[in-house]
Amino acid sequence: MRGTIAPAYVPIARSRSQRFDGKVLDAVEDLEAHSGRDLADLEFAVVDVPPVGAGENEAEFGPDMLADGGVPLSRILPSTGTGTDTTPPRIVLYRRPLEARAETDEDLDEVILEVVAEQVAAVLGIDREDLDQS
């Protein structure tokens, strides 16, 4: 007999990727609530792994890349276009490297929140500490 083990509405039915996406959204909402800033002008995306070759030479990482031990964790893609045809800045989080840095679900929540906060501060051009004090 084949079929789903759990109904779609229970948490166990969500994939690891879907749970991670939910954690990112929770981190963004938490950051908005604590900083008092509206982050609606930013886009957030999740990719399973960084592009091939992204961690080969840490010296090549620009200010848009957040890395740990030569492994990219997140990247900022700047806004593009002009006038009304503009795409907002996008913060891309790399799921697998972030998951590898957490032993528990709570650790993963903290890692995601810290990475999101670091990248949001970079996009806004402020210090990470200033984001908490807003």
Side-chain angles (χ1 to χ4, degrees):
M1 220 170 129
R2 294 182 186 252
T4 58
I5 295 174
Y9 56 86
V10 296
I12 197 169
R14 295 175 60 201
S15 70
R16 286 177 68 178
S17 179
Q18 290 170 326
R19 287 191 301 269
F20 188 90
D21 292 350
K23 288 177 178 294
V24 171
L25 292 175
D26 290 344
V28 171
E29 289 172 0
D30 191 39
L31 191 61
E32 279 183 320
H34 285 94
S35 71
R37 293 179 184 263
D38 181 16
L39 303 179
D41 292 338
L42 298 176
E43 288 186 357
F44 295 86
V46 175
V47 177
D48 283 341
V49 294
V52 175
E56 289 179 5
N57 185 357
E58 194 166 348
E60 293 177 3
F61 291 161
D64 64 329
M65 183 76 75
L66 182 63
D68 177 32
V71 178
L73 303 177
S74 179
R75 166 173 242 151
I76 299 169
L77 301 176
S79 62
T80 59
T82 57
T84 58
D85 193 24
T86 309
T87 61
R90 179 178 295 161
I91 296 173
V92 180
L93 286 87
Y94 300 122
R95 180 175 69 88
R96 300 292 297 223
L98 290 168
E99 287 176 334
R101 276 147 183 80
E103 292 184 21
T104 65
D105 237 17
E106 291 77 27
D107 289 343
L108 184 56
D109 291 340
E110 290 177 24
V111 169
I112 291 171
L113 180 59
E114 189 59 35
V115 168
V116 168
E118 287 284 336
Q119 294 294 61
V120 166
V123 168
L124 298 176
I126 61 174
D127 288 335
R128 166 66 175 93
E129 293 79 27
D130 294 339
L131 189 59
D132 289 333
Q133 298 172 0
S134 296

